[in-house]
Amino acid sequence: MSRYHDVRKQSEKICEPLQTEDYVVQPVVDVSPPKWHLGHTTWFFETFILMPNQPNYQVFDPQYNFVFNSYYETIGARVIRTDRGNLSRPSVAEIYNYRQYVDEKMSEFLQSDYFKPEHIELLELGLNHEQQHQELLVTDIKYILGHNPLFPVYRDNSLKKTAITSDIKMLKFPEGVYEIGFEGNGFCFDNELGRHKVYLNEFEIADRPVTNGEYLEFMNSGGYDDFKYWHAEGWDWVKNTKAQSPLYWHNIDGNWMIYTLEGLKNIDLDDLLCHINFYEAAAFAAWKGMRLPTEEEWEVAFDQLNWGKRWEWTNSAYLPYPDYKRAAGAVGEYNGKFMINQMVLRGASEATPEGHSRNTYRNFFPTNLQWQFTGIRLAK
Amino acid sequence: MSRYHDVRKQSEKICEPLQTEDYVVQPVVDVSPPKWHLGHTTWFFETFILMPNQPNYQVFDPQYNFVFNSYYETIGARVIRTDRGNLSRPSVAEIYNYRQYVDEKMSEFLQSDYFKPEHIELLELGLNHEQQHQELLVTDIKYILGHNPLFPVYRDNSLKKTAITSDIKMLKFPEGVYEIGFEGNGFCFDNELGRHKVYLNEFEIADRPVTNGEYLEFMNSGGYDDFKYWHAEGWDWVKNTKAQSPLYWHNIDGNWMIYTLEGLKNIDLDDLLCHINFYEAAAFAAWKGMRLPTEEEWEVAFDQLNWGKRWEWTNSAYLPYPDYKRAAGAVGEYNGKFMINQMVLRGASEATPEGHSRNTYRNFFPTNLQWQFTGIRLAK
Amino acid sequence: MSRYHDVRKQSEKICEPLQTEDYVVQPVVDVSPPKWHLGHTTWFFETFILMPNQPNYQVFDPQYNFVFNSYYETIGARVIRTDRGNLSRPSVAEIYNYRQYVDEKMSEFLQSDYFKPEHIELLELGLNHEQQHQELLVTDIKYILGHNPLFPVYRDNSLKKTAITSDIKMLKFPEGVYEIGFEGNGFCFDNELGRHKVYLNEFEIADRPVTNGEYLEFMNSGGYDDFKYWHAEGWDWVKNTKAQSPLYWHNIDGNWMIYTLEGLKNIDLDDLLCHINFYEAAAFAAWKGMRLPTEEEWEVAFDQLNWGKRWEWTNSAYLPYPDYKRAAGAVGEYNGKFMINQMVLRGASEATPEGHSRNTYRNFFPTNLQWQFTGIRLAK
Amino acid sequence: MSRYHDVRKQSEKICEPLQTEDYVVQPVVDVSPPKWHLGHTTWFFETFILMPNQPNYQVFDPQYNFVFNSYYETIGARVIRTDRGNLSRPSVAEIYNYRQYVDEKMSEFLQSDYFKPEHIELLELGLNHEQQHQELLVTDIKYILGHNPLFPVYRDNSLKKTAITSDIKMLKFPEGVYEIGFEGNGFCFDNELGRHKVYLNEFEIADRPVTNGEYLEFMNSGGYDDFKYWHAEGWDWVKNTKAQSPLYWHNIDGNWMIYTLEGLKNIDLDDLLCHINFYEAAAFAAWKGMRLPTEEEWEVAFDQLNWGKRWEWTNSAYLPYPDYKRAAGAVGEYNGKFMINQMVLRGASEATPEGHSRNTYRNFFPTNLQWQFTGIRLAK
């Protein structure tokens, strides 16, 4: 119960520095308006827990199902084709009312006899779902403010500074059979199961991710202008977008500045690189004469690694583990249907909510996206 | 002076019923966020009147030039590619502060010796420009609310009802030489000049625009399914958009309802048809065995017509009059550069600000747009 | 009869220099493969003359209706979505067989009693239709060969050289009522009717079109880099296509070369400018401080003009004349449905078949196309 | 030497039934014109073997490098942006001359002292490269003819019929460490190396691929209308393309017909299913309550499988093997740069040239393409 309220409050705390207008916009399709995140996570508890299990539950507003459902497979008749960023209503105030209403009903439910042990798993899924959206809230708020020509500050002291001062050390692991995947009794997503054996060749993996300064060497040596470091798809991306740097980097009068949640700042060469896509990560590794680790290598090595500040691109495609079973019902749509043409990210980032990171966690994104707090770890 | 303040206040009055969120969104590229209209019209006075003519004028915020300039030809170096609807900042409150600041400075200027007779024309242009944006504010607010699945009400009693009860009468005009174009001493846009002679064949023109009921007959007789009434381009538009009705019409359980500024309403068959594009207007006329009038015919006939509730599509392309002269400088970009591939609308609509309509007024829009308060007048 | 065969042979004569492969390709949607032109013009006679009027006529191949019909409004069930340039079959040889078959049947028909006076008009339309496609054959063949990196020669001595040596003279015409439109008994398209009076202000019009050398001055003075000469739409076209010259101009090692039907040649400064679109024509005129003529001015002045080498962009939109009547049936689709968002070209070009040009001829094209043999005549 | 000529002749034999026009067209971007395949494979031997190794070699035509280079990274100055299917020149006859010229020069070279043992590997790569294009020639010819509304026959008796009469049997394999990848002295592509150990869980794999009849059950049970069988991306593909069947299936008057290289035929329920993309393969497997095999499972099981008629979609992403090394130079671009966002196909098809299939062969395609001779093998 207190965990329910702690997690729910955290979403609202993330939004505290926002002005009403910031809640509304959607600059690109991958970004959702903050008010949508606040409504959608609430809709999850209302739809999957209260409606089926709380007798006589009154939905807050029957039309919200259309507005906050993220799966568009079963839509009704009076639909107007629109995007999330075009919806000025429900207003931010109405959505906070919605949150308060559902939180009160959830409090009653969790203290009632209707709350049964078999609901715990779904409750836990709802809370982890909300934590995932907390991370998206941070990435999306950064995108919204960072693409405004006024470069507004989100929150002073919002960054945990990391000054890297030592060179990368390559850690060596022997070939052999290892075990991978979640084990234990706590919560995990279905994509972390089942735990299974893999055979790995001998490999080396870097003790820490790459810094801005190390990446700048790649840029200065012409990395974005030489096709031989890039996947064919990546090179197309470079040419089509005219990319010359990670996201949020601005070359102003010859100096590199980076938009951060504290506003536009001079580049910090010793800070960890952030906001690169898979193509950039792979090209940097190729330029170094190395490669990205597989997710299995990462998981085998994790407790000797400095990790948790950046989501790290692996060279593993997001595919089911050998004994993967899709859950039944709508919840079964959660992960499995996305298992194609995306790459696995391992680790966690400074935007990940506390208590939401795990060494078996399998995050995943399309190869062209930069807006996550992503970084690079080398392997060979 | 009092005219300046009256016009400026009117823009804010139009926005009174809005919630903050409604000021921000831009559902399609042709629609601008209401807060942008409020800022852009203010920027016009600041840039074209105060900055060149008021000594020591302090601009409110130097970055606003980028945000509120609608002509993107001369942009600076630190530009981020974005759309108006992606900008959460400046906030609505900041824009109202901007308006207040500029209005105060304008008050001082208009009462000072710096205000010279030669500025009157530009001042008048700025006020007419603001009135044009008042009309766009209404069309854009309607689009924003009308494309929200919750169909919010803008303002009760916002509509002037028109119940048409008599059949269309065709008024006949003899062939001959007529004069067209603005004359007199009042304000007009450069595109209404110069006044010139035209030779017209004998023609007939309807005394009033078409009603919803008359258009519904066209729809019920399969008008949207028979290519022979349509221009080739119009038929492509029908097929690509799957259009089956004017904008804001919704067929709900077999009944036609129309979104209005008072919310979703049952269709009123005797009200004037609204929100059709040029293709629909021309197809309806072809189905009737008639045609749309030219702008010259309309202007010759205007004082015998029931007009002013709908912008009426003509079959005249938006092109310069024989003695058209483009004004010098940035103001010269106002009209001339749009004189291609648009059609002329004549009349005015219920969204047109009082005092802003004129029998020589030449409005113009692309042929595919429906979001204006447009209607159909028949001719033959 | 001999006129029928003369016109028909001319189409094949145009194709004589082609290799089989040249008949097949369609580099852009506006260009059709030469073999399609040969088939489509044949299909016209088969469908509109032989099938309805020749008893027991056997169609050459029932599937050709689908392949060679240019109006896709009434297509059957077994359709495969494809473009003309994707069709390798029917082969070139089969299409020549088709032509021969229809020509023989037409010979029989024209000598038979089934051929009635009321068919003459349709026959004449078919021949004029074939002549229009002869002109398109030349423009499309030029596009196909001129967009091949090997720059193949179409035919030596295929160009009628024009060396302009004198300056442009402006001819002056007084204001007044003039008459416009086709009169007489010969053939004309429906869009040239009805003849009607227009009132024109006093105007001046150039005695000849613009040369390459005159246009090169515009280019060298930065014409493609200064938005103030361009329509807003035209400026978008410049930026999107990165246009810096007319079509077929290549700057090779600092020298301008032009692809012609005789291959790649050094620019001839005294030759008439060719292959510019409406935006370029209007921008050039604005740079000169002048304008393009209207089609009415052109027609009033035509017999004092040097014309016939280039289709000349006018500043008149392609719209119906006052007494325009659409023909009944499929033939009525010929012109009227295209009367929107295109501009009128007057004159004729070196690609126009002999006997196909007329002072009242109204050609028309979208404003962005350059592949016609278009030029510029100034007015003021 | 005789192997060189045997392989080279085979490409021309595949093209024998074509008419000249069939060599030219490119109906979609994934398909290349047959004449391009004939030129490109020739260019490979000229560029990588003759030019660097045969003293005084005269290139056939210096401009062919631009036309037949499939990697556009290093293009010269006089380039015209065009697509392969827009190039009517060089003609088919010229390309056959090019082949003959290069084949003669290769004969001389292979019998000369300039031909050294270290060239054998590159020669072998060139021949395998030509064989890959032979397979593409068949798939592309089928696409070109099969998308023509006349449904031309390629060659009678071009199909090897396979009548499947027995039910699928699932073969069981125990968990454990297996070895994967090419070993031995013959030719293989770099992507089949290095041979390495994998740990597999216990699995079952079907003894044969799926038939038309089995797939038709999926279709008839509404497989294309129920999102729950599909990846999210696959479901988008279904909705965007309105797909309701494999490629080349036509429902004509209620009966399923299939376009084959012998023309349009009634469906053969006992023949192996062909021309489905990854999304369809995965959806079918999900509908069956099974899954697709991984490429490792396939390779472990291969000698107990009925294979070689269809390329079989696996659920393995196309990624490098543990010890994969990219070759140096241009040849190193051959495989590695495509190792992202594609899925592995195992086996071979009836379009695969004899001697070109291997149990370790890793074919790969994007998930949305259907034009390969692809099939489905079930696993669980």
Side-chain angles (χ1 to χ4, degrees), chain A residues 284-300:
Chain A
F284 175 84
W287 172 77
K288 272 289 194 189
M290 302 205 210
R291 60 175 176 84
L292 301 176
T294 64
E295 65 168 322
E296 290 87 358
E297 291 169 342
W298 192 95
E299 191 169 326
V300 162

Side-chain angles (χ1 to χ4, degrees), chain C residues 17-22 24-28 35 61 63-64 66-67 78 80-82 85-94 144-153 250 252 264, chain D residues 17-22 24-28 35 61 63-64 66-67 78 80-82 85-94 144-153 250 252 264:
Chain C
L18 301 186
Q19 299 194 8
T20 302
E21 293 86 340
D22 302 327
V24 181
V25 298
Q26 179 177 34
V28 288
K35 78 182 178 109
D61 186 323
Q63 298 198 280
Y64 280 23
F66 169 61
V67 176
R78 230 174 344 134
I80 292 179
R81 209 174 148 278
T82 190
N86 299 335
L87 296 182
S88 60
R89 313 286 181 92
S91 68
V92 173
E94 286 163 333
I144 288 165
L145 300 180
H147 284 74
N148 189 298
L150 308 180
F151 292 125
V153 172
H250 298 275
I252 297 176
L264 201 61
Chain D
L18 300 187
Q19 299 194 7
T20 302
E21 293 86 340
D22 302 327
V24 181
V25 298
Q26 178 176 33
V28 287
K35 77 180 178 108
D61 186 324
Q63 299 198 279
Y64 280 23
F66 168 61
V67 177
R78 233 179 336 138
I80 292 180
R81 210 173 148 276
T82 192
N86 298 336
L87 297 182
S88 59
R89 313 286 180 92
S91 68
V92 173
E94 286 164 332
I144 288 165
L145 300 180
H147 283 75
N148 189 299
L150 308 180
F151 292 124
V153 173
H250 299 274
I252 295 175
L264 201 62

Side-chain angles (χ1 to χ4, degrees), chain B residues 45-77:
Chain B
F45 290 107
E46 182 178 60
T47 304
F48 291 117
I49 294 186
L50 291 174
M51 285 173 64
N53 300 307
Q54 172 70 51
N56 303 317
Y57 175 72
Q58 292 271 47
V59 298
F60 183 75
D61 187 324
Q63 299 198 280
Y64 280 22
N65 182 49
F66 169 62
V67 177
F68 293 122
N69 178 358
S70 58
Y71 308 143
Y72 292 95
E73 305 314 342
T74 53
I75 44 172

Side-chain angles (χ1 to χ4, degrees), chain B residues 158-178:
Chain B
S158 57
L159 300 177
K160 304 162 196 151
K161 301 271 169 20
T162 328
I164 301 289
T165 52
S166 56
D167 285 347
I168 286 175
K169 244 196 329 254
M170 298 302 288
L171 311 171
K172 191 175 274 189
F173 291 81
E175 75 170 323
V177 174
Y178 293 92

Side-chain angles (χ1 to χ4, degrees), chain D residues 70-82:
Chain D
S70 59
Y71 308 143
Y72 293 96
E73 305 313 344
T74 54
I75 42 170
R78 233 179 336 138
V79 167
I80 292 180
R81 210 173 148 276
T82 192

Side-chain angles (χ1 to χ4, degrees), chain A residues 6-268:
Chain A
D6 289 350
V7 168
R8 294 281 290 166
K9 277 292 155 236
Q10 180 59 21
S11 303
E12 301 176 10
K13 218 175 137 194
I14 290 169
C15 295
E16 258 172 25
L18 300 186
Q19 299 193 6
T20 301
E21 293 85 342
D22 302 326
Y23 283 92
V24 180
V25 298
Q26 178 177 34
V28 288
V29 69
D30 307 299
V31 163
S32 293
K35 77 182 177 105
W36 186 87
H37 287 296
L38 294 181
H40 168 69
T41 48
T42 305
W43 168 89
F44 189 101
F45 289 106
E46 182 178 60
T47 304
F48 292 116
I49 294 188
L50 291 175
M51 285 172 63
N53 299 307
Q54 172 71 50
N56 302 319
Y57 175 73
Q58 292 271 48
V59 296
F60 183 75
D61 186 323
Q63 299 198 278
Y64 280 21
N65 182 49
F66 168 62
V67 176
F68 294 122
N69 179 358
S70 58
Y71 309 145
Y72 293 96
E73 305 314 343
T74 53
I75 44 172
R78 227 171 350 133
V79 166
I80 293 178
R81 207 174 150 276
T82 192
D83 294 316
R84 291 171 189 169
N86 299 335
L87 297 182
S88 60
R89 314 286 181 93
S91 68
V92 173
E94 286 164 332
I95 290 170
Y96 276 107
N97 288 343
Y98 180 38
R99 289 184 72 87
Q100 196 179 345
Y101 176 85
V102 167
D103 284 350
E104 282 166 14
K105 298 297 178 189
M106 281 294 293
S107 280
E108 293 170 22
F109 173 73
L110 294 176
Q111 291 169 314
S112 75
D113 293 344
Y114 301 117
F115 180 46
K116 299 271 166 35
E118 65 262 31
H119 299 143
I120 290 176
E121 196 178 359
L122 197 58
L123 177 67
E124 198 53 45
L125 181 65
L127 294 174
N128 275 273
H129 173 255
E130 180 121 7
Q131 287 179 312
Q132 290 185 310
H133 280 277
Q134 286 166 7
E135 183 152 3
L136 290 171
L137 269 170
V138 177
T139 54
D140 292 358
I141 289 168
K142 183 168 183 179
Y143 196 96
I144 288 165
L145 300 180
H147 283 75
N148 190 299
L150 308 180
F151 292 125
V153 173
Y154 165 64
R155 191 179 248 162
D156 288 325
N157 303 313
S158 58
L159 301 176
K160 303 161 195 153
K161 302 270 167 22
T162 327
I164 301 289
T165 53
S166 56
D167 285 348
I168 285 175
K169 246 195 330 249
M170 298 301 290
L171 311 170
K172 192 175 273 188
F173 290 81
E175 75 169 320
V177 175
Y178 293 91
E179 275 201 40
I180 295 293
F182 185 81
E183 70 178 346
N185 296 314
F187 173 84
C188 76
F189 286 108
D190 60 0
N191 62 10
E192 302 169 51
L193 298 170
R195 189 162 170 89
H196 64 287
K197 295 201 181 78
V198 295
Y199 192 97
L200 299 183
N201 279 17
E202 184 186 74
F203 67 96
E204 295 180 40
I205 189 165
D207 65 335
R208 63 157 174 84
V210 163
T211 63
N212 286 330
E214 288 161 348
Y215 195 80
L216 194 55
E217 287 177 47
F218 167 67
M219 289 167 57
N220 288 340
S221 78
Y224 282 87
D225 302 316
D226 191 339
F227 71 91
K228 76 168 178 280
Y229 304 124
W230 298 80
H231 287 94
E233 251 189 53
W235 187 240
D236 286 344
W237 173 80
V238 168
K239 286 182 299 183
N240 290 337
T241 64
K242 301 187 172 58
Q244 289 290 322
S245 72
L247 190 63
Y248 299 122
W249 289 40
H250 299 274
N251 196 311
I252 296 176
D253 305 329
N255 300 311
W256 284 109
M257 299 190 76
I258 299 184
Y259 176 77
T260 72
L261 292 170
E262 299 177 357
L264 201 62
K265 300 279 184 190
N266 286 313
I267 189 173
D268 177 352

Side-chain angles (χ1 to χ4, degrees), chain C residues 17 20 40 48 67 82 91 100 104 108 187 190 221 223 230 250 258 283 305 319 322 339 341:
Chain C
T20 302
H40 168 67
F48 292 117
V67 176
T82 190
S91 68
Q100 197 179 345
E104 282 166 16
E108 293 170 23
F187 174 84
D190 61 1
S221 79
W230 298 80
H250 298 275
I258 299 184
L305 306 180
L319 292 170
M339 288 181 174
N341 290 336

